[in-house]
Amino acid sequence: MKHQTRLYQYLCVAFCLILSGCKYDTDISNPEQYAKVYMPQAAESVSKHILQITDTAQTIVFGAAYGGPEYPQEDINVKFKVDLDMVAEFNQNNGTSYTPLPAQSYTIDDFEGQINKGSLSSAPLKIKVKTKGVLAPFVQYLLPVSIESISGSVPLNEKLKTAYFLVEAQKDGITIRVMSYGIKSGTVDMDAVAAIVNSFNPDLLVIREIDSKTTRSGGRDLPKILSELTNLPNYIFAPAQAYQGGEYGTAVYSRFPVEEQVARQLYSDATEQGPLGMLTVNINTQDKLIFAGTHLNANTTRRDRQVNELFGIMETYTEIPVVLAGNFNDKATTGTVYQKFSTQFSFPCTTCPLNYPKSGPTGNSDMLMFKPSDKFRGVNYSVGTTSTSDHLPIVADLQFFY
């Protein structure tokens, strides 16, 4: 509540400062042609306001201003109006699809203001917007507020008489960075791998094709070494197969505390199984999610069997949000994996950047997905430019909502 009060005070001060700026030099010819009344918020195509979904109404300010080389010589009374029919016209003219702000979601206590003689602006008027139980998250609503009439001899600036307030309600939450990266079978230089990982500073990480205590790794526990080099203290190693006296598979990491960890194998009739590592992470004291990483077989028949097994496992998680990432060895949007999992999961993008092969990528072997859709929002998705393998790492910023 204190935060909202300070924000409102700041907006009021900023509103007044903008409107009480320096006047023009007095040597302008025909200065009277510049003297007009307008809405400062109309200078933008839309005045955007991101509001949190809370029990308390939040305030947007508006008002009128006087423009010209001199101060007004009379009091100017200004009347405002809301016309939601203008939303359709705005959408048609601008190629947008905004929704009119629902009438029950806002109140305007006063539709009249006054620019006093010798002043440049009216006192700020307030739009009080209710979000919880009224506005749907992430829907962009539009509220047109116009100057309906003014008193006196000063003309109205017709081009700046309507302000379009764009309102979007968001849940409280946190932004989480997720990364998936195949380092290449046989890679043992964890300093090189860590340098790539640390350049993105992920919160959740899937590392594929990593050795643990094999001959070629010199008996070293590479998942543990990488954990220490990347400051990702919580992890699980999911082996795909026994190899050279040790194991080879996928490691799944978390910067958040881990409540539970599970390593599984998705069946394959080949020596290498499908590794699946799963971490139940505590985002805070109340909210948790499951982060899972996998690597499916490149052979279509083997992969399809693993897809069905993985899909069934993921179906059992209905109470806790899930993020699933890794190499699915399939095509985005048109592949079997995407088509099947899109019935249960949402994807951060439908035309995600390509990550394979490294030189001139043509495919999306690495993908990530999440469920339920109302708990997440993809805000950024990118592909790295350097790699120790022929697969570029993928990185996504997800907003996770409490």
Side-chain angles (χ1 to χ4, degrees), residues 188-395:
V188 297
D189 185 354
M190 291 301 101
D191 287 320
V193 174
I196 293 173
V197 171
N198 288 334
S199 69
F200 293 101
N201 194 31
D203 300 298
L204 301 173
L205 170 68
V206 178
I207 290 290
R208 299 180 285 100
E209 303 172 324
I210 189 169
D211 284 13
S212 176
K213 302 178 182 178
T214 62
T215 299
R216 67 183 175 187
S217 71
R220 295 179 299 155
D221 186 345
L222 298 188
K224 182 177 186 295
I225 291 172
L226 187 61
S227 170
E228 295 167 350
L229 292 173
T230 58
N231 193 29
L232 291 164
N234 308 299
Y235 71 95
I236 185 171
F237 175 65
Q241 67 178 88
Y243 187 74
Q244 291 187 351
E247 293 175 311
Y248 163 82
T250 293
V252 180
Y253 298 85
S254 170
R255 198 178 305 280
F256 302 102
V258 170
E259 180 177 302
E260 184 179 358
Q261 57 185 38
V262 177
R264 304 180 65 158
Q265 289 185 335
L266 306 173
Y267 175 79
S268 172
D269 58 10
T271 301
E272 182 178 342
Q273 305 297 295
L276 174 62
M278 304 177 64
L279 300 176
T280 302
V281 303
N282 293 314
I283 302 300
N284 53 42
T285 56
Q286 293 181 317
D287 300 281
K288 64 183 70 175
L289 63 80
I290 293 172
F291 179 53
T294 191
H295 186 176
L296 304 187
N297 201 286
N299 176 275
T300 301
T301 302
R302 292 167 179 161
R303 183 184 65 237
D304 286 348
R305 178 164 182 167
Q306 291 176 341
V307 165
N308 290 332
E309 185 180 355
L310 178 61
F311 188 88
I313 293 171
M314 292 297 113
E315 271 190 317
T316 64
Y317 295 98
T318 58
E319 301 297 326
I320 303 177
V322 179
V323 175
L324 173 63
N327 183 356
F328 296 90
N329 268 311
D330 203 7
K331 297 178 180 178
T333 69
T334 59
T336 303
V337 172
Y338 186 96
Q339 294 296 323
K340 186 174 183 64
F341 276 83
S342 62
T343 64
Q344 184 182 161
F345 285 84
S346 297
F347 293 78
C349 45
T350 54
T351 55
C352 298
L354 307 176
N355 81 306
Y356 175 81
K358 178 169 60 175
S359 178
T362 58
N364 297 86
S365 62
D366 284 79
M367 292 185 283
L368 67 87
M369 58 194 84
F370 49 79
K371 71 171 186 176
S373 59
D374 63 351
K375 278 290 188 178
F376 298 93
R377 185 187 192 191
V379 294
N380 180 60
Y381 189 102
S382 61
V383 171
T385 57
T386 59
S387 176
T388 58
S389 74
D390 204 24
H391 292 255
L392 295 170
I394 65 166
V395 182

Side-chain angles (χ1 to χ4, degrees), residues 28-29 127 196 387:
I28 297 176
S29 59
I127 305 168
I196 293 173
S387 176

Side-chain angles (χ1 to χ4, degrees), residues 145-209:
V145 179
S146 301
I147 296 177
E148 183 176 23
S149 64
I150 58 175
S151 67
S153 59
V154 178
L156 176 64
N157 187 330
E158 295 292 333
K159 294 182 179 179
L160 295 175
K161 74 173 185 178
T162 301
Y164 292 91
F165 295 97
L166 184 62
V167 176
E168 182 177 334
Q170 292 190 358
K171 299 177 182 178
D172 194 15
I174 185 174
T175 299
I176 299 172
R177 175 160 289 185
V178 184
M179 181 175 180
S180 179
Y181 177 31
I183 64 174
K184 187 180 180 180
S185 175
T187 297
V188 297
D189 185 354
M190 291 301 101
D191 287 320
V193 174
I196 293 173
V197 171
N198 288 334
S199 69
F200 293 101
N201 194 31
D203 300 298
L204 301 173
L205 170 68
V206 178
I207 290 290
R208 299 180 285 100
E209 303 172 324

